[in-house]
C-alpha cells in the first residue's frame, strides 16, 4: 500500500505543479530570476549577469531525479553511500557532454542537449554500475543489482526530463511549430492549449521570430508523457517488474523524442533526420537489449518505498542534494545570451 500511496502523492503534486507551470511560464516575467551587477557602465549604470528560471527548473529536475534514484535504490537495499558513486560518475560525464554534443550538432557555443547526454548516459551507465559494484561490494557488504539499477536510472531520467522541460517553457527554447502551419487535425487538437510566448529575450523570439504566435505546446506534451510513463514504470519497479520498468521508461522517452521533433520548429541540425533522432533510436535499441539480455538477480526482499525514503531522509543526503542543486543552477542558470543594465537610486521619501 505504501508503494502505491507514494506514486499517487507524487503524481498529484506534479499534476498541480504542471497545471500552474503551463499557464504561467510562457509569460515574459518568468525568464529572468535576477541580475547581479558585475561592472560599472558609465556614471549611473552597472552591467549585470542574468540568472534564469531555466537554471532553477533544471536544478529542480536534476535534484528530483537524483533523489528518486536514491529512493529506488534504497528500496531494494543498496546503501546510499554506494549508490552515490553511480550518479556522480554519470553526471560528471553527461553534463559536460550535453554541451559538447550540442556544439557539434547545432554549431552553437552556448547551448545544451539533454538528448545527447541521455545517449552517452545509456552507453556508460552499465559500465559505471559494474565498476562500482566490483570496487565497493566487499567494502559495503552489499551489491548493486544491475537490472534494478538500470530501471531506477531510466525512471529517474524520465521524471527528471519531464520536469526539466518546464525550463524550456520558461526560456522559450525547444519550441513547437506555429499552429497555423500544422495540419488541420493538429490545429483542432491543440488550439485551446497552444502556447503563446511573450518577451523578446526568449529563444523563440530571437531565433524563430514567433513571440506572440500560437505554437504547438510541445514542451508540455513531453512533460506529461514522460512523467506519466515515469510514474507507470515506477509502479512496475515497485512490483519487482524491473525489465518492464526499464523498457517502458526508455521506449516511451526515446520514441517520443523521435516523433516530437516533427512538431518542433527550433534548429536541430541539418538533414531530414536529426542527430538527436538517431541518438534516440540507438538509445532505445541499447535499452531493450539490456532488458532482454540481463538476467534478473534475486533480491533479499521486494522493493519497499519506506526503506528508500529512509535512505534520503538523512542530513548528509539532504545537504548533498542541496549542494547539487546549487551547482547545477550556477552551471545552467547564468544566461550567456542575454544581458542587462542596472541602475540604483535612493528612495528619498524613506530616508
Amino acid at each position: 500500500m505504501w508503494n502505491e500511496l507514494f506514486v499517487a502523492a507524487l503524481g498529484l503534486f506534479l499534476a498541480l505543479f504542471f497545471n500552474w507551470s503551463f499557464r504561467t511560464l510562457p509569460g515574459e516575467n518568468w525568464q529572468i530570476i535576477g541580475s547581479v551587477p558585475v561592472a560599472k557602465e558609465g556614471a549611473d549604470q552597472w552591467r549585470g549577469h542574468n540568472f534564469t528560471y531555466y537554471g532553477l527548473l533544471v536544478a529542480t529536475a536534476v535534484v528530483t531525479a537524483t533523489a528518486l534514484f536514491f529512493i529506488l535504490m534504497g528500496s531494494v537495499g543498496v546503501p546510499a553511500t554506494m549508490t552515490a558513486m553511480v550518479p556522480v560518475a554519470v553526471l560528471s560525464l553527461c553534463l559536460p557532454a550535453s554541451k559538447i554534443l550540442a556544439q557539434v550538432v547545432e554549431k552553437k557555443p552556448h547551448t545544451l542537449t539533454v538528448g545527447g547526454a541521455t545517449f552517452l548516459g545509456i552507453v556508460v551507465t552499465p559500465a559505471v554500475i559494474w565498476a562500482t559494484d566490483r570496487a565497493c561490494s566487499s567494502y559495503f557488504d552489499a551489491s548493486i543489482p544491475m537490472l534494478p539499477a538500470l530501471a531506477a536510472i531510466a525512471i529517474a531520467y524520465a521524471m527528471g526530463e519531464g520536469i526539466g522541460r518546464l525550463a524550456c517553457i520558461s526560456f522559450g527554447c525547444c519550441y513547437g511549430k506555429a499552429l497555423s502551419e500544422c495540419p488541420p487535425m493538429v490545429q483542432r487538437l491543440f488550439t485551446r492549449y497552444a502556447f503563446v510566448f511573450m518577451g523578446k529575450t526568449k529563444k523563440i523570439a530571437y531565433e524563430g521570430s514567433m513571440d506572440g504566435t500560437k505554437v504547438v505546446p510541445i514542451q508540455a506534451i513531453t512533460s506529461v508523457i514522460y512523467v506519466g510513463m515515469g510514474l507507470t514504470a515506477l509502479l512496475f519497479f515497485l512490483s519487482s517488474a524491473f525489465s518492464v520498468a526499464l523498457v517502458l521508461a526508455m521506449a516511451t522517452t526515446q520514441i517520443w523524442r523521435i516523433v516530437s521533433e516533427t512538431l518542433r520548429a527550433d534548429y536541430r541540425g541539418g538533414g531530414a533526420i536529426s542527430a538527436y533522432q538517431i541518438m534516440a533510436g540507438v538509445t532505445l535499441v541499447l535499452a531493450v537489449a539490456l532488458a532482454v539480455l540481463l538476467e534478473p538477480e534475486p533480491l533479499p526482499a521486494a522493493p519497499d518505498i519506506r526503506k528508500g525514503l529512509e535512505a534520503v531522509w538523512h542530513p548528509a543526503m539532504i545537504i548533498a542534494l542541496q549542494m547539487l542543486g546549487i551547482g547545477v543552477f550556477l552551471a545552467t542558470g547564468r544566461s550567456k545570451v542575454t544581458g542587462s543594465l542596472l541602475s540604483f537610486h535612493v528612495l528619498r521619501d524613506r530616508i
Side-chain angles (χ1 to χ4, degrees):
M1 181 183 73
W2 288 104
N3 291 346
E4 289 77 11
L5 283 175
F6 174 78
V7 176
L10 181 59
L12 177 60
F13 172 78
L14 289 174
L16 295 173
F17 183 41
F18 281 4
N19 180 58
W20 173 86
S21 299
F22 297 160
R23 292 185 289 105
T24 306
L25 293 178
E28 185 174 5
N29 59 324
W30 286 93
Q31 181 179 1
I32 307 298
I33 196 172
S35 187
V36 178
V38 292
K40 203 74 179 288
E41 289 280 343
D44 300 314
Q45 287 186 324
W46 290 77
R47 176 166 48 86
H49 280 159
N50 296 333
F51 288 87
T52 62
Y53 284 101
Y54 177 95
L56 179 63
L57 289 165
V58 168
T60 300
V62 171
V63 170
T64 302
T66 304
L68 183 58
F69 176 64
F70 275 94
I71 291 170
L72 293 181
M73 295 300 286
S75 74
V76 294
V78 180
T81 307
M82 194 174 182
T83 298
M85 299 179 184
V86 176
V88 167
V90 173
L91 288 173
S92 297
L93 291 169
C94 291
L95 286 178
S98 68
K99 186 171 184 178
I100 295 170
L101 288 171
Q103 291 174 354
V104 172
V105 175
E106 301 180 39
K107 306 297 188 293
K108 296 178 181 178
H110 304 302
T111 189
L112 303 169
T113 169
V114 176
T118 305
F119 169 70
L120 180 62
I122 195 65
V123 172
V124 304
T125 296
V128 169
I129 294 172
W130 178 83
T132 302
D133 185 60
R134 291 292 298 269
C136 304
S137 58
S138 59
Y139 181 80
F140 289 101
D141 193 25
S143 62
I144 301 179
M146 180 66 76
L147 194 55
L150 288 174
I153 288 176
I155 294 167
Y157 158 70
M159 299 294 289
E161 185 168 355
I163 297 169
R165 285 297 161 182
L166 302 180
C168 301
I169 302 175
S170 171
F171 202 77
C173 59
C174 305
Y175 48 89
K177 292 181 177 179
L179 206 60
S180 60
E181 298 177 1
C182 295
M185 182 180 69
V186 175
Q187 294 186 36
R188 289 194 298 271
L189 187 61
F190 296 116
T191 185
R192 288 183 56 193
Y193 308 103
F195 279 162
V196 178
F197 291 91
M198 305 303 296
K200 294 299 181 183
T201 56
K202 289 188 182 282
K203 189 174 182 180
I204 191 173
Y206 64 76
E207 181 185 74
S209 300
M210 291 197 295
D211 52 312
T213 302
K214 283 189 174 184
V215 297
V216 176
I218 193 65
Q219 304 99 323
I221 301 169
T222 300
S223 291
V224 171
I225 290 176
Y226 280 24
V227 167
M229 288 300 102
L231 291 170
T232 305
L234 179 55
L235 281 173
F236 279 105
F237 181 98
L238 295 173
S239 300
S240 300
F242 304 116
S243 296
V244 176
L246 172 60
V247 172
L248 182 62
M250 293 307 297
T252 301
T253 55
Q254 300 314 300
I255 290 174
W256 177 247
R257 179 172 292 279
I258 294 170
V259 174
S260 67
E261 293 208 8
T262 64
L263 295 173
R264 286 176 61 168
D266 57 324
Y267 180 69
R268 312 296 293 156
I273 299 177
S274 74
Y276 299 126
Q277 288 174 305
I278 295 172
M279 291 180 197
V282 174
T283 302
L284 173 59
V285 172
L286 289 174
V288 173
L290 288 170
V292 171
L293 296 176
L294 290 174
E295 291 289 336
E297 302 174 44
L299 297 176
D304 186 345
I305 201 66
R306 290 172 293 181
K307 293 181 180 178
L309 292 172
E310 289 174 3
V312 298
W313 195 248
H314 186 279
M317 178 63 66
I318 295 171
I319 292 172
L321 290 172
Q322 290 175 336
M323 296 303 295
L324 172 64
I326 292 171
V328 174
F329 173 73
L330 293 176
T332 63
R334 179 181 165 185
S335 177
K336 297 179 176 64
V337 296
T338 66
S340 59
L341 290 175
L342 310 175
S343 63
F344 304 95
H345 61 275
V346 176
L347 298 174
R348 294 290 177 182
D349 60 324
R350 299 186 181 181
I351 296 177

